[in-house]
Amino acid sequence: MPEEKKGTTTVPVSEEQELPEPEGPEPPELEGPEPPELEGPEPPELEPELPELSEELSDEPREAAVGYRPVFAVREFRAVFLAHALSLLGVVVSEIALTVLVYGLTGSPLLSALAFALGFLPYIAGGTLLAGVADRFPARRVLVVCDLVCAGCAALMALPSTPVVALLALRCVIAAVSPVFSGTRMATLTEILGDGDLFVLGRSLLRIVSQSAVLVGFGLGGVLLTFVSPRGALVVTLGTFLASALLLRFGTRRRPARAGGGSLVRYSLSGTREVLGDRRIRALLLLLWAPPMFVVAPEALAAAYADEIGVGTAGVGLLMCAMPVGTIAGELYAGAALSPAARSRIVLPLAAGGLLPLLVYPLHPGLGWILLTLLLAGSTGAYTLGLDRWFVDAVPEELRGRAMTVHTAGLMTIQGVGMALAGAAAEFWAVSTVVGGVGVLGTVCCVLLALEVRRTGRA
């Protein structure tokens, strides 16, 4: 059957129209049927498509628009954000209170320091042996149970009859639960915010809260201890964990487990092997871990460096605060002012060159220049926004909870290792030399990892 085209619509022409007809009656046959066949059906077909097209076009600017406001527009994220702030406050207060409490009971600086260090050491065990919990069970249940376990530990620590050994053991339990909680929460964010730009911004906000805790949390904890005893401060910790559990229970909806079956430990270890066995995921993880491992050196050696240059305790506080301030500023700028494409473009340059400012240390500049150096080094942490997106895209959904838990456990563990190695090196060399050497060694490692990330996928 021949066809006649009008605009973009193809309309069949009937056989009667092909037969030769007298010229007189032809116009009524063609003009009469044409309006309903050609003009009538076209508007209903085209008009619904135009609004859809316009909606798609209007969505593009929304996706390209930057800023944190769309993240806070998601009700579930507001609950997760507030719960994170409360539980983090609980952890910070418990660390201070427990350190003071153990020192008061024993008079031992070693045990007091151990009470603080135990916040890092069990991460690797919890992150590897319990990683499967994040995928095996519904996320909301895992998060609430983790908060309740931490609340129970805080309640036992607050009891006057709890001995020092039990205090340290309970601190280990909280530390072992933390990577499971953090990994589950990270994986849940992809379900609450999607695995696109909103997830990246949501993760950034949680990191900003964590960095802010470094600046204000310990100060508030110290003020709190001037009004209440250490065990009383642990009661405050109990309250924050319970409040977080309530927020997560009633502020988020139930979601099914991602996977399951078999022994939990075997399931967790198999997930860890899958995560580290994938070349792309392994490269991204190492790039997420390596810069923080090296960049903690100036903070770990802040007291020793302040003594080396003679700036006193006030200088220690400034040296400790400068890098977190730079990190917060860098993340806020990248999240609020850069598009997703721009954040992706800065990942490899910032990750590879973020430690270069530390090379200023051996030149022995004044305190002001060192503070600017630390601010600059901290601001390069903005690379994590784009790298978070690559990591989520690379990890299969059924592996996501275990991958996030391994990421959290590895990050905390490797920072502890970095602090210990920096301290050990400072026993033999000047702090300025150690930090400069960390800048050189760290830059070489990060450049190699950036090249590996580029090779394993589109950067």
Side-chain angles (χ1 to χ4, degrees), residues 68 79 87 110 202 221 304 366 373 453:
Y68 293 99
S87 63
L110 174 61
T373 293
V453 168

Side-chain angles (χ1 to χ4, degrees), residues 41-352:
E42 282 182 8
E45 293 176 6
L46 294 176
E47 286 177 3
E49 294 177 7
L50 292 175
E52 291 177 8
L53 180 60
S54 65
E55 286 174 9
E56 290 177 8
L57 291 175
S58 64
D59 278 347
E60 288 181 8
R62 285 195 211 108
E63 289 183 6
V66 291
Y68 293 99
R69 184 175 297 177
V71 184
F72 283 114
V74 180
R75 183 186 64 83
E76 281 188 281
F77 176 77
R78 294 197 298 270
V80 171
F81 179 82
L82 186 55
H84 172 65
L86 286 171
S87 63
L88 187 64
L89 176 63
V91 169
V92 170
V93 170
S94 69
E95 286 176 346
I96 300 171
L98 189 60
T99 301
V100 174
L101 178 60
V102 169
Y103 185 75
L105 292 174
T106 66
S108 169
L110 174 61
L111 289 177
S112 178
L114 184 60
F116 189 83
L118 285 176
F120 293 91
L121 298 179
Y123 258 82
I124 190 67
T128 53
L129 301 179
L130 302 178
V133 172
D135 288 323
R136 282 279 295 274
F137 301 98
R140 186 177 68 180
R141 186 192 307 171
V142 173
L143 294 174
V144 172
V145 169
C146 285
D147 266 336
L148 292 178
V149 168
C150 293
C153 291
L156 291 174
M157 287 190 290
L159 294 176
S161 58
T162 306
V164 172
V165 173
L167 290 173
L168 297 178
L170 290 168
R171 182 69 186 98
C172 284
V173 173
I174 293 177
V177 165
S178 293
V180 178
F181 181 88
S182 300
T184 305
R185 183 185 57 214
M186 285 174 62
T188 304
L189 278 185
T190 64
E191 297 172 340
I192 294 174
L193 301 174
D195 54 8
D197 194 49
L198 284 185
F199 166 78
V200 172
L201 295 174
R203 279 277 297 139
S204 172
L205 283 169
L206 297 185
R207 275 196 303 269
I208 288 171
V209 170
S210 300
Q211 290 291 335
S212 300
V214 176
L215 296 175
V216 300
F218 290 111
L220 291 177
V223 171
L224 179 64
L225 288 175
T226 63
F227 296 98
V228 299
S229 67
R231 294 193 191 270
L234 289 169
V235 174
V236 174
T237 296
L238 167 64
T240 62
F241 282 131
L242 290 176
S244 174
L246 289 172
L247 278 169
L248 293 170
R249 174 60 183 83
F250 297 105
T252 61
R253 64 183 181 87
R254 187 184 186 281
R255 292 175 172 84
R258 297 177 188 85
S263 163
L264 176 60
V265 173
R266 189 180 301 114
Y267 180 70
S268 300
L269 292 175
S270 68
T272 302
R273 283 193 297 269
E274 282 187 66
V275 168
L276 298 179
D278 183 284
R279 184 182 176 188
R280 172 68 174 170
I281 298 175
R282 183 174 63 249
L284 293 172
L285 267 180
L286 291 174
L287 194 59
L288 282 164
W289 291 343
M293 175 185 178
F294 293 103
V295 85
V296 295
E299 290 180 308
L301 301 175
Y305 184 70
D307 181 62
E308 184 178 300
I309 62 176
V311 294
T313 54
V316 176
L318 292 174
L319 290 168
M320 293 288 288
C321 291
M323 193 174 294
V325 168
T327 302
I328 293 171
E331 289 228 17
L332 284 174
Y333 176 77
L338 299 182
S339 67
R343 291 197 292 267
S344 185
R345 286 194 296 270
I346 66 174
V347 169
L348 296 184
L350 289 185

